[in-house]
Amino acid sequence: MEKKISVDYSFTFPFITEEQFDAYKDEALKAMETLENGVGAGNDFIGWRNLPTEMLKSDEFKEILEVGNEIYTKGDLLICVGIGGSYLGTKAVTEALLHPFHNALPKSKTGGPKILFAGQNISGSWLKAIIDEIEATDSVYVNNISKSGTTTEPSIAFRYIKNVMEKKYGKVEAAKRIIATTDAKKGALRKLATNEGYRTFIIPDDVGGRFSVLTPVGILPIAASGIDVKKLLQGAEYASQYTTEKDFAKNPALVYAAVRNLLLKNKYHTEILVNYEPCLHYLSEWWKQLYGESEGKDGKGIFPASVDFTTDLHSMGQWIQDGQRFIFEIVLNIEKPLNDLTVVSDPDDLDGLEFLAGKSYDEINKNAQQGTLIAHYEGKVPNMKINMPELNEFYLGQLLYVFEKACGISGYLLGVNPFDQPGVEAYKKNMFALLNKPGYEEQKATLDEKMKTLPSGKVTE
Ligand code: PA5
């Protein structure tokens, strides 16, 4: 049988007790059943549950592989335009599995195109740098990804990129190099794609942005980068099977969801995702969106934070060890890293570290991990560990799915709808009003009034 990822929650005791854990099991199982039976809040957005299996056997998947392979072989640069759920999954997976300096290496070394991201901010400086790359590169493809097609950041980035692509290649060739991933029927991007004749892929109606990495949103650009998306989906499919287990010892999603909610009940309201491999930085960013947008509502939710160790042990380590006690950690433990080296000997031993000569960097990293875990535990920081046998497509697919499933269960345990994001609209309304968007006149008038009463005048010279 294939190996599974596992959750070790030994170091969350005594911050939760055996009695609490046992007493909570029924509630956690009920939350899982609610999700699986599709009877909870937001149940029109749970299409991600069977996505790996459906995607693997779909005709669309064959098409994705074809277009992905075209971009991989013919493209020197792929620009992914998107934000939030239309960006973070691809960024997380490509950073985790491609060479850490992928974009700095020639295609002869990497085999595939450079991957750059646009439309995930409103910075003109960022966009200018993207345009510079488009202009300097022979063969450029663009994947414009937006379910609504009206999200400000990617929309205004794409306007510029489209113009530059058409100037570079002419309208007809540019249209062959732009692929739109969007809603099946509605939305501005669907209309634009039809008008311009772009190839398109569909974001299913019943999958929200932050759960969409295994739809064409993530699968196409990840395939275009040369990563084996079939293995990624197979890993997720495997996890979709074992995360239906009712036996807690066999279901990492159920355990993770239950333990983090018990910790919250015991006043641990901030969770820090920890990695010891820099390539996992964006996995944490993806995870933060997943849990932040799913749970942070109605005055509830665990605050999701992240650190990259051992780097951040030299910045945040002091706080975690010794600061206010309301945090818990979840450590991503990669049992076998992608690569390893051995520390070389230096007989002068000026740094006093000759005792490490001959040891592998991974052995030292793992000892740093174990030492930190014990120190933080003794400093009263509950710790969980997620064990991944290796960092590859199969286990990463499992991890993505386990986090998604746990997020659904956890949201129901918390008593929120984990599949909506009403809070995201607040800043947009104000921004549009301030920018005089037609139709926002009333909001603008209210805002102008409000601005008069907002705190002001407390500025240093
Ligand atoms: O998770 C979400 O729903 C959001 O993060 C969206 O993905 C993000 O706002 C982008 O939306 P769209 O794909 O419609 O451009």
Side-chain angles (χ1 to χ4, degrees):
M1 214 204 306
E2 298 282 6
K3 280 197 211 160
K4 302 192 313 193
I5 64 168
S6 63
V7 172
D8 180 347
Y9 58 113
S10 320
F11 282 71
T12 57
F13 295 88
F15 310 104
I16 61 175
T17 65
E18 294 288 355
E19 296 71 42
Q20 271 185 315
F21 186 65
D22 286 341
Y24 199 51
K25 279 184 173 168
D26 278 351
E27 208 173 321
L29 281 170
K30 228 160 81 200
M32 187 169 86
E33 259 169 46
T34 303
L35 178 64
E36 284 173 357
N37 297 335
V39 293
N43 58 0
D44 43 346
F45 280 100
I46 51 176
W48 53 270
R49 292 171 316 158
N50 303 320
L51 204 68
T53 307
E54 281 166 13
M55 180 57 94
L56 277 166
K57 57 178 195 229
S58 69
D59 288 339
E60 189 181 35
F61 185 51
K62 286 184 204 131
E63 242 180 274
I64 290 176
L65 291 181
E66 270 167 35
V67 178
N69 190 47
E70 175 189 324
I71 300 172
Y72 179 74
T73 50
K74 294 191 183 158
D76 299 317
L77 170 63
L78 169 64
I79 310 282
C80 300
V81 184
I83 195 167
S86 293
Y87 149 64
L88 282 166
T90 303
K91 181 77 175 161
V93 174
T94 52
E95 291 266 322
L97 296 178
L98 294 178
H99 189 290
F101 306 126
H102 176 88
N103 283 345
L105 293 171
K107 188 164 176 168
S108 55
K109 271 254 182 229
T110 62
K114 288 189 197 181
I115 320 275
L116 292 175
F117 294 85
Q120 80 281 36
N121 54 52
I122 315 181
S123 162
S125 311
W126 183 273
L127 187 58
K128 167 75 172 62
I130 293 283
I131 300 303
D132 288 346
E133 287 286 334
I134 295 178
E135 286 172 347
T137 308
D138 281 348
S139 175
V140 183
Y141 282 83
V142 176
N143 188 191
N144 188 10
I145 308 164
S146 176
K147 191 164 182 182
S148 60
T150 51
T151 307
T152 310
E153 289 88 342
S155 290
I156 60 175
F158 183 68
R159 279 179 178 223
Y160 211 104
I161 290 170
K162 177 176 181 285
N163 280 354
V164 173
M165 288 290 284
E166 288 176 356
K167 204 162 138 214
K168 184 178 173 80
Y169 295 111
K171 223 171 153 43
V172 174
E173 177 62 18
K176 291 185 189 152
R177 291 172 171 273
I178 297 172
I179 293 117
T181 306
T182 189
D183 188 88
K185 292 194 193 82
K186 4 178 244 298
L189 182 53
R190 170 60 54 190
K191 221 180 258 170
L192 179 72
T194 308
N195 292 348
E196 301 286 343
Y198 299 155
R199 284 176 283 181
T200 58
F201 288 97
I202 294 170
I203 309 178
D205 276 347
D206 56 357
V207 181
R210 58 189 173 276
F211 287 85
S212 70
V213 56
L214 301 175
T215 71
V217 167
I219 294 300
L220 174 63
I222 294 169
S225 78
I227 289 169
D228 188 338
V229 280
K230 194 166 172 201
K231 285 211 182 103
L232 190 77
L233 285 163
Q234 282 168 339
E237 182 180 42
Y238 184 39
S240 74
Q241 291 156 2
Y242 66 69
T243 54
T244 56
E245 277 284 351
K246 291 187 173 48
D247 179 349
F248 278 69
K250 293 182 179 158
N251 188 340
L254 185 58
V255 166
Y256 174 51
V259 171
R260 64 197 295 283
N261 277 281
L262 278 175
L263 285 167
L264 177 63
K265 282 180 191 295
N266 291 355
K267 308 279 179 256
Y268 295 93
H269 56 68
T270 299
E271 178 176 17
I272 306 176
L273 183 61
V274 179
N275 70 68
Y276 282 80
E277 290 289 343
C279 68
L280 294 175
H281 176 85
Y282 272 93
L283 189 88
S284 299
E285 298 303 314
W286 171 83
W287 170 88
K288 283 195 279 195
Q289 190 207 359
L290 183 66
Y291 282 80
E293 265 188 16
S294 299
E295 296 194 325
K297 51 196 72 157
D298 310 333
K300 298 178 184 171
I302 298 170
F303 183 78
S306 64
V307 288
D308 302 326
F309 283 171
T310 60
T311 311
D312 293 339
L313 282 173
H314 297 258
S315 55
M316 295 301 292
Q318 170 63 38
W319 202 104
I320 294 172
Q321 184 66 50
D322 224 8
Q324 251 192 90
R325 302 297 74 179
F326 55 74
I327 51 173
F328 65 99
E329 289 176 303
I330 169 153
V331 180
L332 287 173
N333 174 43
I334 309 297
E335 285 162 12
K336 185 168 171 277
L338 278 179
N339 283 301
D340 203 6
L341 292 171
T342 303
V343 177
V344 293
S345 173
D346 177 359
D348 289 345
D349 195 22
L350 293 177
D351 54 13
L353 295 171
E354 185 59 11
F355 70 100
L356 295 176
K359 291 195 193 304
S360 81
Y361 282 80
D362 190 50
E363 184 185 347
I364 301 168
N365 208 11
K366 290 286 184 335
N367 278 288
Q369 183 179 313
Q370 187 63 10
T372 306
L373 193 127
I374 295 167
H376 289 181
Y377 178 71
E378 288 184 336
K380 301 199 172 9
V381 179
N383 258 266
M384 271 187 270
K385 224 185 336 181
I386 295 203
N387 298 312
M388 270 172 87
E390 263 180 73
L391 191 51
N392 64 22
E393 285 89 341
F394 187 68
Y395 294 115
L396 194 56
Q398 287 193 38
L399 184 67
L400 295 173
Y401 193 91
V402 166
F403 273 144
E404 288 182 352
K405 179 82 184 254
C407 186
I409 301 171
S410 187
Y412 286 153
L413 278 170
L414 200 59
V416 298
N417 173 356
F419 305 114
D420 67 358
Q421 54 284 329
V424 180
E425 294 309 311
Y427 95 92
K428 288 186 198 164
K429 281 190 195 142
N430 285 345
M431 178 179 75
F432 288 148
L434 289 169
L435 289 165
N436 296 312
K437 182 174 178 177
Y440 281 70
E441 294 76 10
E442 208 175 301
Q443 176 93 5
K444 175 78 162 69
T446 315
L447 209 52
D448 285 345
E449 278 310 304
K450 214 184 278 174
M451 303 254 273
K452 290 182 197 155
T453 63
L454 288 177
S456 67
K458 298 197 180 345
V459 191
T460 59
E461 279 178 18

